[in-house]
Amino acid sequence: MTQLKDKLSEKIQAHRPRTARLTKEFADIVIDKVDIGQCMGGARDIKCLVTDISSLDPQEGIRFRGKTIPETFAALPKAAGSAYPTVESFWYFLLTGEVPTQAQVDEVVAQWKTRQSVPPYVFDVIRTLPRDSHPMAMLSIGILALQRDSKFAAYYNSGKFNKTNAWEQVYEDASDLVARIPVIAAFIYNLKYRDDKQIAIDPKLDMGANFAHMIGQSEEYKDVARMYFILHSDHESGNVSAHTTHLVHSALSDPYYAYSAGLSGLAGPLHGLANQEVLSWTMKFQEKYCKGVEPTKELITKALWDTLNSGQVIPGYGHAVLRKTDPRYMSQREFCLKTPGLKDDPLFKLVSMIFEVAPGVLSEHGHTKNPWPNVDAQSGVIQWYYGVKHWDFYTVLFGVGRALGCMANITWDRALGYALERPKSVTTDMLEKWAAEGGIK
Ligand code: AMX
């Protein structure tokens, strides 16, 4: 066993009695009620998922394993010569809740090297797709194609399946998947936008740095990749990508099936695709409203109202849980402000101007419960500045990061034996009857 798997095993043994006690002794304790609004409105806010990987407070934002974003970045060992932690150190932290030592990080980095090689047939499958397929479809198909390698599925089919140990095979698949997904993403990037000029893995580099290398990026982009993957990793369990992954895995579908489905959810414009929509909206704004003139707050206000009046949402603004500016937005904004060149970049200035205007417009519009920006309002600017200008690729970057949270979560799902997910549906007749009676009698 590796130090990480040993530590994880120790944490799982310690945690299991807590889960067993809640399930056996306290199953009848009521923690929530459901009204017709929630039933009709996307199950919003119903407390029926459990995770210890991250938690999301509407005012404060995300905490990974109890730490805010600045606390997480400050606590973890940094990549050599960098102000940011490696993705591998964050993976150790997400899985175990403990800040790793440098030696423990080095072991994960070395482990991922042994796992990151992608079988050539996966690339062949992606190559057969029409080149103008969306890169999220390519990524989801690439992950699904890896399914034949699933150690969890092989274990299930071995006839020796044991619920207590099954998490170990999920952990193996999860570790393989997080090590391989940046390699598949880089392949898609090079296939679509660099005339299929592929770059081989550099075995000396950590995950973030290697991704930068594989898409032909600059030295500085290594920190962008590390920061980006960590920030996008997890946002508690109710969001579409995390929830889908959890749901599919609850049927004991292996991690490849589960995450391919999760990626398909991430590809929705109300979820991860919003980062490409933000850039698309901003470019269209410049083209339509700023011909030969500098953008102004007045022009932005007009464009925002035109968008709202045409029945569309303002991409990158609003959130199902958050009720303030997303700390992931602020973290990326701070990165821009401290990066010479980027802080004076016209696109960053424009996005900052939208930040000044949009919350007021959305408040006046009066529909959204949260007029503040989310993670997606800021992320494309950084990619654009470093030359990653194909904005349909931005959700793929999100998907590489989100794999960390989803895979950590399903490893723990199996470790704690979380149940098959099966909510109950009702009919409109039933709802109308309960509405007339003032609730279920
Ligand atoms: N622009 C215009 N209207 C908005 C809006 C926005 N950015 N955000 C919410 N609204 C509207 C909703 O469409 C809804 O309208 P309706 O009453 O006419 O149906 C109303 O405000 C109430 O919505 P809500 O309760 O505030 O939000 P929600 O939980 O239903 O949806 C979200 C959350 C993120 C889907 C929504 O805010 C949105 O569509 N934002 C724009 C897309 C976006 O940025 N998505 C990325 C979110 C982060 C992520 O997952 N990556």
Side-chain angles (χ1 to χ4, degrees):
M1 277 221 214
T2 59
Q3 293 186 67
L4 171 54
K5 199 167 172 186
D6 269 344
K7 175 63 72 182
L8 188 53
S9 181
E10 182 190 313
K11 294 275 171 185
I12 288 166
Q13 305 309 329
H15 197 107
R16 278 178 170 163
R18 295 173 66 193
T19 305
R21 188 153 183 249
L22 286 167
T23 314
K24 287 190 184 125
E25 291 180 38
F26 301 111
D28 293 339
I29 302 288
V30 175
I31 57 166
D32 213 348
K33 62 176 180 54
V34 181
D35 57 35
I36 291 181
Q38 289 172 305
C39 182
M40 302 297 284
R44 201 68 86 256
D45 292 335
I46 299 172
K47 296 182 190 70
C48 60
L49 293 165
V50 190
T51 180
D52 298 295
I53 305 294
S54 71
S55 58
L56 181 60
D57 180 83
Q59 299 301 324
E60 187 194 50
I62 191 71
R63 278 182 183 259
F64 301 118
R65 288 289 188 177
K67 291 193 193 302
T68 62
I69 291 169
E71 287 167 0
T72 302
F73 282 146
L76 294 174
K78 309 295 175 290
S82 161
Y84 282 88
T86 57
V87 175
E88 289 88 337
S89 96
F90 182 69
W91 172 243
Y92 187 106
F93 174 61
L94 269 195
L95 275 174
T96 66
E98 285 192 13
V99 171
T101 62
Q102 189 57 53
Q104 287 165 333
V105 176
D106 292 346
E107 192 187 60
V108 181
V109 173
Q111 261 283 308
W112 283 20
K113 299 268 165 255
T114 66
R115 296 177 183 271
Q116 68 188 348
S117 160
V118 175
Y121 77 84
V122 173
F123 299 133
D124 294 343
V125 168
I126 297 172
R127 261 210 186 88
T128 59
L129 296 168
R131 208 53 65 86
D132 61 355
S133 301
H134 195 281
M136 279 301 280
M138 291 180 158
L139 186 64
S140 184
I141 287 167
I143 293 298
L144 194 57
L146 277 171
Q147 190 278 333
R148 76 182 272 283
D149 276 9
S150 171
K151 293 164 184 161
F152 177 80
Y155 179 57
Y156 188 84
N157 293 326
S158 69
K160 295 179 192 148
F161 187 79
N162 174 328
K163 275 186 183 175
T164 315
N165 304 334
W167 73 267
E168 294 191 37
Q169 302 311 318
V170 177
Y171 166 81
E172 292 301 328
D173 280 352
S175 305
D176 286 346
L177 193 153
V178 292
R180 289 168 170 190
I181 194 169
V183 177
I184 298 177
F187 171 82
I188 293 167
Y189 184 82
N190 292 329
L191 179 73
K192 272 185 76 83
Y193 315 117
R194 296 186 357 114
D195 294 327
D196 205 3
K197 289 195 195 81
Q198 302 295 337
I199 300 176
I201 291 167
D202 183 337
K204 296 186 296 303
L205 300 176
D206 63 85
M207 186 268 227
N210 183 56
F211 178 76
H213 155 77
M214 288 189 78
I215 63 166
Q217 263 293 342
S218 62
E219 198 54 33
E220 302 93 84
Y221 190 87
K222 291 176 179 172
D223 271 349
V224 173
R226 292 176 184 124
M227 172 189 71
Y228 201 96
F229 296 149
I230 291 173
L231 283 182
H232 288 80
S233 60
D234 207 37
H235 217 224
E236 68 162 43
S237 285
N239 64 78
V240 172
S241 50
H243 185 199
T244 306
T245 307
H246 164 79
L247 168 68
V248 174
H249 180 60
S250 83
L252 298 189
S253 299
D254 64 57
Y256 297 103
Y257 279 128
Y259 197 54
S260 173
L263 284 167
S264 300
L266 190 69
L270 297 187
H271 190 20
L273 203 80
N275 58 10
Q276 94 167 44
E277 299 290 281
V278 167
L279 252 281
S280 163
W281 187 93
T282 311
M283 293 299 155
K284 279 186 199 142
F285 161 74
Q286 285 180 311
E287 205 178 296
K288 185 168 168 197
Y289 296 82
C290 306
K291 282 208 177 83
V293 294
E294 286 289 305
T296 60
K297 288 185 191 172
E298 289 68 33
L299 284 173
I300 293 170
T301 304
K302 179 170 173 20
L304 291 169
W305 276 114
D306 285 352
T307 302
L308 292 170
N309 290 335
S310 68
Q312 294 162 50
V313 295
I314 307 299
Y317 282 77
H319 199 273
V321 178
L322 286 169
R323 294 295 175 257
K324 61 163 267 193
T325 298
D326 190 336
R328 299 171 300 174
Y329 176 94
M330 291 311 286
S331 186
Q332 294 179 94
R333 181 172 159 79
E334 279 154 25
F335 179 89
C336 295
L337 287 171
K338 72 180 183 208
T339 304
L342 186 43
K343 80 175 172 19
D344 300 317
D345 180 68
L347 188 60
F348 173 63
K349 286 185 170 168
L350 175 54
V351 165
S352 299
M353 220 187 265
I354 298 172
F355 181 32
E356 287 179 53
V357 176
V361 171
L362 281 164
S363 297
E364 197 182 327
H365 184 241
H367 287 227
T368 180
K369 296 187 190 73
N370 174 36
W372 301 104
N374 61 57
V375 64
D376 298 313
Q378 187 68 236
S379 53
V381 177
I382 302 177
Q383 299 300 331
W384 184 269
Y385 176 77
Y386 284 98
V388 180
K389 295 193 171 179
H390 304 276
W391 59 68
D392 59 353
F393 191 70
Y394 295 172
T395 315
V396 169
L397 296 169
F398 196 152
V400 173
R402 184 49 56 97
L404 299 161
C406 290
M407 291 300 105
N409 267 295
I410 63 169
T411 302
W412 274 94
D413 286 356
R414 253 339 11 84
L416 300 178
Y418 283 171
L420 172 76
E421 195 176 310
R422 181 55 167 94
K424 181 82 185 80
S425 60
V426 294
T427 64
T428 306
D429 281 348
M430 289 174 186
L431 287 178
E432 286 168 346
K433 177 174 176 286
W434 294 327
E437 294 169 358
I440 296 182
K441 300 288 177 207

